[in-house]
Amino acid sequence: MISQVFILSSKGDHLIYKDFRGEAGSDVVNIFYEKVTALTGDQPPVVMSHKDLHFVHVRQGGLYWVATTTADSSPFTVIEFLNRLTALVKDYCGSLSERSVQMNFALIYELLDEVVDYGYIQTTSSDVLKNFIQTEAVSSRPFSLFDLSNVGLFGAETQQSKVAPSSAATRPIQSSREQGGKSEIFVDVIERMSVVIGSNGVLMKADVEGEIRVKCYMPTCSEMRIGLNEEFSIGKSQLRGYGAAVRVDECSFHQAVRLDEFDSLRILRLCPSQGEQTVMQYQLSDDLPSAPPFRLFPTIERDNGGRLLMYMKLRCDLPPKSAAINVCATVPVPKGSVSLSQELSSPDQSAELKPQSRAVVWQIPRFPGGTQLSALFKLEVPGLSSASMLEVGPVGLSFELPKITATGLQVRFLRLSPIQPGPSQRWVRYVTHSDSYTIRI
């Protein structure tokens, strides 16, 4: 049973407040924010208490999504409700941000009225709610398929000559009249990579977590069939097919996915509802099918003037026609570093010293595969000693790899039945993110 639901910005601004039972005053919002900000660390407890009131919250889109309860409710139920609420708001508003919540507050209050009745959860299904929600979403930026100013993920299969901008799937499921009510469906294969490379260049750890997300803007779609690699196998004992094996250790599926054709043909069947849903999750541990995307060759020394010299050569081992974007290398430096001078191998790179985090941040907007970049950092460190030079490293990398999956998972085909009347677009997009990519020096 839920007493209140409210949404706060990261600064504590009240964006949404809904009291379902009148059991606690509105001052609980300030009490919650004071408790969160008083705690040390980046991740406060998900469940907190104040007298007889329990706060349960999640952090999504830079916002606090909070539910309160005075009863002995299951915290896992409330957490699941908050996660589904954030997914609903994202589906109906197009994105999760402070601006989108402010512009669509009337729509969010209407959603809360339908989702919760006197503290009892009724439904979080977008298929059920679309019959009752009347308020149109307000988009902060009009959607245009031909706006290619911010390309992040790319089309596949029959859309090889077209590109879907990364903002294409961040529009409300209730398309406004200006958007033309386009019938589109997006299938995103998203992977997160965790890698540790030793100081000798040996790969020590490599884990990949991935998921297949479907976001549907089809008014009617009775069934969708997603064909995966024929060589896709789960576990080492199920290697199959004649091509290069695409293996994962384990995977799980959404409850709506029918698997009667999966074992024999590697086909997922489901009836997608409007909005976004994760149809499959998978994991691979300590067995990358290809080499890690980046290698670092560092040289750390002290010059005659007592400055710390760090010469970094970073190599991108992606295929030549591929490229990494938004590459950022964070190099921890000795305590007390006061200034930085730099020599970079290309003009589009940048670097700065951040004394608060004691690190040099090296940023590369685009890094083509099969190339190598270098940087020479000269640091002024008062009282530099051999012991303080050991404080350099390890180096952390963050990046995005568009059109690439670390496991090799691919979508062979995407078919809808019955055939959709009128024009419709189907997009398959791939991207790999760095979850934790650490290179020891």
Side-chain angles (χ1 to χ4, degrees):
M1 193 187 324
I2 295 172
S3 298
Q4 298 157 315
V5 169
F6 51 89
I7 304 173
L8 302 181
S9 70
S10 58
K11 298 179 180 179
D13 299 325
H14 302 189
L15 304 179
I16 298 292
Y17 174 81
K18 183 73 174 177
D19 192 342
F20 297 102
R21 301 181 61 85
E23 295 175 336
S26 59
D27 60 333
V28 297
V29 179
N30 296 326
I31 294 173
F32 167 79
Y33 190 70
E34 289 173 0
K35 292 179 74 68
V36 167
T37 53
L39 295 171
T40 58
D42 296 332
Q43 295 182 338
V46 175
V47 181
M48 296 181 291
S49 298
H50 175 74
K51 296 181 180 178
D52 294 332
L53 192 66
H54 306 289
F55 298 99
V56 183
H57 84 281
V58 297
R59 190 85 185 269
Q60 295 278 1
L63 305 174
Y64 293 103
W65 303 71
V66 191
T68 66
T69 177
T70 57
D72 294 330
S73 303
S74 167
F76 297 103
T77 301
V78 182
I79 292 170
E80 179 66 18
F81 162 74
L82 289 173
N83 285 325
R84 293 195 182 190
L85 178 63
T86 59
L88 271 178
V89 173
K90 184 179 180 181
D91 286 342
Y92 276 87
C93 298
S95 62
L96 285 182
S97 66
E98 182 177 349
R99 178 174 172 80
S100 66
V101 170
Q102 289 174 336
M103 296 178 66
N104 293 280
F105 70 93
L107 173 58
I108 296 174
Y109 276 115
E110 188 175 0
L111 280 170
L112 287 173
D113 286 336
E114 298 295 342
V115 168
V116 181
D117 181 22
Y118 196 60
Y120 294 95
I121 302 169
Q122 304 300 304
T123 182
T124 55
S125 169
S126 58
D127 284 342
V128 174
L129 291 169
K130 69 181 180 181
N131 299 317
F132 305 102
I133 302 301
Q134 302 299 323
T135 305
E136 282 276 349
V138 180
S139 298
S140 57
R141 179 181 178 187
F143 166 74
S144 172
L145 185 62
F146 302 100
D147 178 11
L148 306 182
S149 60
N150 185 21
V151 174
L153 299 169
F154 296 79
E157 204 189 29
T158 59
Q159 305 295 336
Q160 294 287 353
S161 61
K162 298 180 181 179
V163 177
S166 57
S167 60
T170 57
R171 59 186 174 99
I173 58 175
Q174 291 183 325
S175 301
S176 65
R177 296 172 184 174
E178 291 79 9
Q179 293 167 344
K182 291 183 176 64
S183 293
E184 294 178 303
I185 194 161
F186 296 84
V187 176
D188 293 340
V189 182
I190 302 171
E191 296 187 348
R192 295 171 297 278
M193 178 184 293
S194 298
V195 169
V196 177
I197 298 177
S199 57
N200 56 357
V202 175
L203 183 64
M204 302 177 64
K205 174 188 175 184
D207 296 334
V208 178
E209 293 182 354
E211 59 187 16
I212 299 177
R213 293 183 193 168
V214 173
K215 189 155 190 179
C216 180
Y217 295 102
M218 297 286 184
T220 57
C221 180
S222 59
E223 185 181 73
M224 177 174 66
R225 301 172 81 237
I226 303 174
L228 305 180
N229 310 58
E230 292 182 346
E231 300 83 10
F232 180 75
S233 59
I234 304 170
K236 295 182 179 180
S237 61
Q238 290 189 6
L239 295 181
R240 49 180 285 152
Y242 301 99
V246 178
R247 188 186 68 82
V248 298
D249 291 330
E250 56 186 40
C251 66
S252 59
F253 303 92
H254 190 278
Q255 59 186 3
V257 176
R258 293 192 290 275
L259 301 174
D260 49 325
E261 295 184 82
F262 181 74
D263 288 338
S264 57
L265 301 175
R266 291 303 190 239
I267 295 176
L268 306 177
R269 297 172 54 207
L270 73 152
C271 298
S273 58
Q274 283 196 332
E276 184 178 290
Q277 55 186 317
T278 300
V279 300
M280 174 178 164
Q281 294 177 307
Y282 54 92
Q283 183 175 353
L284 175 64
S285 298
D286 296 328
D287 190 14
L288 286 180
S290 59
F294 293 100
R295 292 279 183 178
L296 181 68
F297 304 94
T299 302
I300 311 297
E301 59 186 23
R302 180 170 51 183
D303 67 2
N304 295 330
R307 293 184 302 178
L308 175 64
L309 302 183
M310 300 189 301
Y311 183 60
M312 303 285 177
K313 289 195 299 184
L314 186 61
R315 189 179 73 199
C316 181
D317 288 333
L318 296 175
K321 293 184 179 180
S322 303
I325 60 174
N326 301 327
V327 180
C328 180
T330 302
V331 187
V333 296
K335 185 178 181 180
S337 301
V338 293
S339 64
L340 169 71
S341 60
Q342 55 195 285
E343 297 177 14
L344 304 176
S345 59
S346 63
D348 59 338
Q349 304 174 46
S350 64
E352 66 173 319
L353 172 65
K354 295 191 175 182
Q356 292 183 346
S357 56
R358 290 172 48 197
V360 171
V361 179
W362 178 20
Q363 294 183 327
I364 306 167
R366 188 175 185 276
F367 201 159
T371 63
Q372 180 174 285
L373 297 175
S374 61
L376 175 60
F377 301 121
K378 302 176 183 180
L379 279 164
E380 294 285 351
V381 185
L384 180 64
S385 63
S386 300
S388 58
M389 290 179 64
L390 297 176
E391 299 178 25
V392 178
V395 178
L397 282 180
S398 63
F399 52 83
E400 296 178 35
L401 308 179
K403 300 191 292 183
I404 292 176
T405 56
T407 59
L409 180 65
Q410 299 282 316
V411 175
R412 284 186 292 136
F413 60 80
L414 173 60
R415 295 171 184 164
L416 306 176
S417 61
I419 302 299
Q420 297 296 307
S424 62
Q425 297 279 0
R426 290 169 290 171
W427 301 100
V428 180
R429 313 183 297 177
Y430 306 93
V431 67
T432 297
H433 298 277
S434 59
D435 191 18
S436 173
Y437 199 102
T438 303
I439 303 175
R440 297 177 179 174
I441 296 179

